[in-house]
Amino acid sequence: MKSLVILCLLLLAATDIFATEVAGVRLWTAPDHTRLVFDISSAAEHKVFALSNPDRLVIDLAGASLADGFSKNNIKNKLLHGIRHAPREDGSLRVVLDLTGAVRPKTFALKPNAGYGHRLVVDLYPVEATRKPRVAKSAKDLRRARDVVVAVDAGHGGDDPGASGSRYKTQEKQITLEIARRLKRQIDAQPGMRAVLTRTGDYFIGLRKRMALAREHRADLFVSIHADAFRDKRVRGSSVYVLSKRGASSEAALWLAEKENSSDLVGGVKLDDKDDVLASVLLDLSQSATRHASLRAASKVYAALGEVGKVHGRRVQQAGFMVLKSPDMPSMLVETGFISNPKEERNLRDPEHQERMATAIRKGVEAFFNEAPPPGTLLAERQGRILKHVIAKGDTLSEIADRYQVSMASLRRQNRLRDDHLIRIGQVLVIPDT
């Protein structure tokens, strides 16, 4: 009997020791949603339900309690009035979010990684944000020559800090946003060119969402900015990547691709992602149409970076980065340096060096578009020249049409082609302007 009592006491003590503690909560505000991240000591089951009049979201965490020193600083924004919490008789912890209006919540748990422990993520989407108004464009707007659009993607953000510097613990997400902002300012200053940022602040965006934002802006080029790390701190230099067809071109490329693609896990596992799954399959089948253009653009940027400092590798590298898998625009990923190298970390923190990196990328992008401006743009109109394409090995009419954003019918008509198989290597095709 005495042994049984001792065993029960040990079990009760173990229950107290291993109960989940909530250490704090952090808030990230994105343009289309608000993210709350609860730092917890271990995985915990949770339930969520909404209440109205007034609008509230209730989160019950099973077997949880607040840790000493629980922090909830600055947990207010346009969707949130505040946050309340209280223990319940069943041993759970109830957290109540006081809302400014109705929301569509999404919650999921994240396992520990190099930067954080267990986390519970709560994403709040305004109900009105799920209904996008459709705006019709006038025929005059559609006919007018347009700017070349460059989507500038600052890697990581929010609860996904990216790599961390070895000396100053600089976070990659901070460096990428600074360089992206500088690059946007430079591109916007060029006549006939305009840049859009996939993220404008410190918040998380999933990899497919970054591509979707660029496509919504009808970007002609996608440039993702990074400053990654490698296990060997001696590795240094900037580099440029395009999507690989068969695999990574080096060990470093494989390492970096695995790290970057894992960032999408911060977005959680969705139950309503059937369209995304189908889209990813279609993306994998549609890459060849833009691969050649991506390589040409990346080569221009690689050459410009070589004028600023050391470049890593002898040429543009290839890897399976998810963020580059857009079927309808050339895409590249630029590593502005290795933050794991102490000297490069110091450089990447320097505003003057950030400006030089932005200048090099802008020069490469500008050279790419000056060489082959997209039809219907101000750059093409200003050059006033006929756009031509020289058939290379592996080219098909459908790929050429996709690359220059023209229809197959207009391409055939312009070049008096009756059969797709009549094109040959070295043949020059005139690209129609519509």
Side-chain angles (χ1 to χ4, degrees):
M1 181 67 180
K2 184 177 180 180
S3 299
L4 181 60
V5 172
I6 294 174
L7 178 60
C8 291
L9 290 173
L10 289 173
L11 289 173
L12 288 172
T15 300
D16 290 337
I17 293 173
F18 293 105
T20 300
E21 290 191 329
V22 182
V25 58
R26 291 167 283 124
L27 179 144
W28 311 97
T29 302
D32 63 339
H33 74 284
T34 291
R35 167 166 288 191
L36 290 169
V37 181
F38 292 88
D39 293 305
I40 53 181
S41 60
S42 60
E45 293 184 1
H46 69 280
K47 296 180 180 179
V48 178
F49 59 92
L51 297 173
S52 58
N53 298 320
D55 290 304
R56 289 152 290 162
L57 188 71
V58 180
I59 307 164
D60 287 335
L61 287 161
S65 62
L66 293 184
D68 293 338
F70 172 79
S71 173
K72 57 173 183 177
N73 295 330
N74 300 319
I75 305 300
K76 288 185 179 181
N77 72 352
K78 62 183 180 181
L79 288 182
L80 274 175
H81 280 311
I83 182 172
R84 296 177 283 129
H85 47 78
R88 305 185 69 210
E89 292 183 358
D90 62 0
S92 65
L93 175 68
R94 171 158 290 182
V95 178
V96 179
L97 305 181
D98 294 314
L99 306 170
T100 61
V103 299
R104 177 172 58 86
K106 171 188 165 187
T107 66
F108 54 90
L110 289 176
K111 294 180 180 179
N113 61 17
Y116 298 100
H118 287 278
R119 288 151 290 163
L120 173 66
V121 178
V122 181
D123 285 339
L124 307 176
Y125 292 86
V127 171
E128 61 270 19
T130 63
R131 297 188 293 267
K132 297 183 179 179
R134 301 183 67 179
V135 180
K137 294 185 177 180
S138 67
K140 181 179 179 181
D141 289 334
L142 293 174
R143 288 195 300 265
R144 186 174 57 194
R146 61 176 181 84
D147 290 334
V148 164
V149 179
V150 181
V152 180
D153 173 52
H156 306 279
D159 208 41
D160 173 26
S164 180
S166 59
R167 177 171 297 177
Y168 304 103
K169 304 304 177 185
T170 309
Q171 292 184 321
E172 181 183 359
K173 66 176 183 178
Q174 300 166 338
I175 300 301
T176 60
L177 185 57
E178 283 298 317
I179 295 177
R181 285 170 172 166
R182 294 175 185 276
L183 178 57
K184 173 177 168 53
R185 285 196 294 268
Q186 290 196 29
I187 290 175
D188 288 345
Q190 309 306 310
M193 296 182 67
R194 178 171 60 89
V196 294
L197 295 176
T198 58
R199 73 175 176 96
T200 57
D202 188 11
Y203 49 85
F204 174 79
I205 304 179
L207 301 182
R208 290 192 183 96
K209 177 66 174 177
R210 295 170 188 263
M211 290 187 290
L213 287 170
R215 295 178 68 193
E216 286 176 12
H217 288 281
R218 297 183 179 181
D220 299 286
L221 179 67
F222 180 88
V223 181
S224 190
I225 308 296
H226 289 259
D228 223 314
F230 193 54
R231 52 195 170 206
D232 185 348
K233 294 182 179 180
R234 296 172 298 177
V235 175
R236 62 189 182 93
S238 55
S239 51
V240 186
Y241 288 83
V242 295
L243 185 67
S244 170
K245 187 176 182 180
R246 293 186 176 87
S249 57
S250 69
E251 180 188 4
L254 178 62
W255 171 275
L256 293 175
E258 288 176 349
K259 287 172 85 313
E260 297 301 345
N261 291 347
S262 67
S263 294
D264 217 26
L265 296 177
V266 180
V269 178
K270 295 187 291 183
L271 298 179
D272 57 349
D273 65 348
K274 297 297 188 297
D275 290 340
D276 284 347
V277 172
L278 176 59
S280 74
V281 173
L282 295 176
L283 290 177
D284 289 337
L285 296 174
S286 307
Q287 298 311 311
S288 58
T290 57
R291 189 172 288 111
H292 294 300
S294 298
L295 186 57
R296 292 203 313 272
S299 298
K300 300 291 185 184
V301 171
Y302 178 85
L305 288 171
E307 298 176 1
V308 175
K310 176 179 171 55
V311 287
H312 181 67
R314 297 181 179 179
R315 61 181 67 87
V316 172
Q317 298 192 57
Q318 299 182 29
F321 291 105
M322 174 66 71
V323 78
L324 301 182
K325 291 188 175 183
S326 177
D328 47 9
M329 63 186 152
S331 305
M332 74 178 81
L333 185 145
V334 180
E335 292 289 350
T336 55
F338 282 86
I339 208 169
S340 51
N341 181 290
K343 183 178 180 180
E344 291 210 334
E345 180 189 7
R346 186 169 61 251
N347 286 339
L348 290 168
R349 293 166 58 93
D350 179 16
E352 292 185 2
H353 182 80
Q354 293 172 359
E355 192 69 22
R356 287 193 294 270
M357 295 302 296
T359 300
I361 299 170
R362 188 262 303 165
K363 286 183 176 178
V365 168
E366 195 174 6
F368 168 68
F369 284 120
N370 283 336
E371 185 177 274
T377 62
L378 290 168
L379 291 183
E381 187 177 84
R382 187 165 62 243
Q383 288 191 11
R385 69 184 187 191
I386 298 175
L387 190 61
K388 297 180 180 180
H389 176 85
V390 180
I391 301 294
K393 184 178 179 180
D395 279 354
T396 66
L397 278 184
S398 62
E399 289 176 351
I400 297 169
D402 285 341
R403 189 182 310 172
Y404 293 99
Q405 299 178 17
V406 297
S407 68
M408 284 276 289
S410 63
L411 187 60
R412 288 196 192 97
R413 186 167 53 250
Q414 179 73 50
N415 295 275
R416 298 181 180 179
L417 297 173
R418 296 181 180 179
D419 190 334
D420 295 359
H421 298 289
L422 292 179
I423 62 173
R424 62 187 184 280
I425 296 176
Q427 182 180 355
V428 178
L429 297 183
V430 176
I431 306 300
D433 58 4
T434 58

